[in-house]
Amino acid sequence: MRATSTRTSSQTNRPATTLGPRRGILGGAVLLAIGGAFLLPPLGVPNAGAYLFVALGLAFAAAWWVGARQYVYLVPACVLIGFGLGLVIPTLFSLPPDMAGPVFLLTLAGGLVAVSLLAPIRRAPLLLAGVLAVVAIADVFLQIDLVPLALQPYFVPVVLIIVGLYLLMEPKR
């Protein structure tokens, strides 16, 4: 005679009308973001590729908002939205080409500040935001390139890698 289990799953006995924790929020939101962004070029939206970053950031923001408010969703949400806005704003407002770099760095810094405002216990993003803001402000107001010209193509990728490593290495709180 076989023993039968008397355990029941709360998921299987739940009435059909009760909503449980949502699964697949990030996956679904990312697919919606990519699909929406790929609709923009045929619609004639200028600089449509830049909107992909904003859309992906919004996907992570939705996963953070609707889900368990995980910090690992908040950081990419704010960074990608800041990154995308930094690409969109110069085109949207027809800014001079020499303003594109500082605007990009300031929106990226703004995204990192947003992380600290939404998760005030974690201050590390503020340090990186400060570095980005100082570089951008020095460029605009002092006409000084704090990042040497030869290293500028590597600056933002290195910043993104640092943020990624920070997320991977940060201890769980």
Side-chain angles (χ1 to χ4, degrees), residues 97-109:
D98 62 331
M99 288 300 296
V103 166
F104 178 80
L105 293 177
L106 286 173
T107 58
L108 194 52

Side-chain angles (χ1 to χ4, degrees), residues 22-148:
R22 294 183 186 176
R23 298 180 63 168
I25 295 167
L26 183 58
V30 165
L31 290 175
L32 285 170
I34 293 170
F38 271 84
L39 282 176
L40 297 177
L43 296 173
V45 174
N47 198 19
Y51 288 91
L52 176 61
F53 295 104
V54 176
L56 288 172
L58 291 173
F60 275 96
W64 178 79
W65 184 262
V66 176
R69 306 272 167 111
Q70 294 177 334
Y71 188 67
V72 295
Y73 291 161
L74 176 63
V75 174
C78 294
V79 168
L80 285 169
I81 290 170
F83 190 95
L85 289 176
L87 296 173
V88 169
I89 288 173
T91 303
L92 193 62
F93 294 107
S94 301
L95 297 178
D98 62 331
M99 288 300 296
V103 166
F104 178 80
L105 293 177
L106 286 173
T107 58
L108 194 52
L112 291 165
V113 168
V115 169
S116 294
L117 292 175
L118 293 168
I121 195 165
R122 292 183 165 99
R123 295 291 186 194
L126 275 179
L127 175 66
L128 197 49
V131 170
L132 293 171
V134 166
V135 170
I137 290 168
D139 187 16
V140 172
F141 294 111
L142 303 175
Q143 301 295 310
I144 297 172
D145 288 328
L146 292 179
V147 177

